[in-house]
Amino acid sequence: MKYDILQIIGAALMVGFAQGAIRLLIDHDSTGLLGWLGGGFALTLAAHGALVAVGVLLTGWSHTRAKALGRRG
């Protein structure tokens, strides 16, 4: 159950921040959830990319762990 929850959290991170990165690329002033960060367009886009990568890694890792326990096919 723990790995299922981690996989959901990772997928939500990935989808949410990928959407934010795409929105930021289209409208440079739309910083979304990371508006408090400051630092301009480049830093905000890099933070979105890093959080997407964290989501991908968390989702993949939790899926692999669940599969090792025999919970995935």
Side-chain angles (χ1 to χ4, degrees), residues 10-66:
L13 276 172
M14 178 180 57
V15 169
F17 285 104
Q19 182 266 338
I22 292 168
R23 184 181 61 231
L24 185 64
L25 286 171
I26 293 171
D27 180 13
H28 296 317
D29 294 328
S30 179
T31 56
L33 291 174
L34 299 178
W36 58 269
L37 192 60
F41 171 74
L43 180 64
T44 307
L45 185 60
H48 273 90
L51 288 166
V52 168
V54 167
V56 168
L57 291 173
L58 181 61
T59 303
W61 176 81
S62 60
H63 178 74
T64 302
R65 294 296 301 155

